[in-house]
Amino acid sequence: MEMLALLIPVSLFLGGIGLVAFLWTLRHRQYDDPDGDSHRILSDDWDDHPKQ
């Protein structure tokens, strides 16, 4: 039982850090273009002549 008194606050703290990190990524628009990367990786436009 003494170990639970330590593990519960630690797990709540780590969960809070994860929630704050997720909310930070939402506010900084990290998830705006989920399909763009999947289309860009299949494109041959930039293989031979990179844009300068």
Side-chain angles (χ1 to χ4, degrees), residues 19-47:
L19 180 63
V20 167
F22 175 69
L23 292 175
W24 182 83
T25 60
L26 283 179
R27 288 186 184 228
H28 287 88
R29 301 179 183 267
Q30 297 289 319
Y31 306 111
D32 278 353
D33 189 19
D35 293 329
D37 290 333
S38 62
H39 293 293
R40 277 191 297 270
I41 198 168
L42 297 174
S43 174
D44 292 333
D45 293 341
W46 306 107
D47 287 346

Side-chain angles (χ1 to χ4, degrees), residues 4-5 7 10 13 23 25 30-32 45 48-49 51:
L4 283 178
L7 289 177
V10 168
F13 177 72
L23 292 175
T25 60
Q30 297 289 319
Y31 306 111
D32 278 353
D45 293 341
D48 295 331
H49 305 289
K51 189 174 183 178

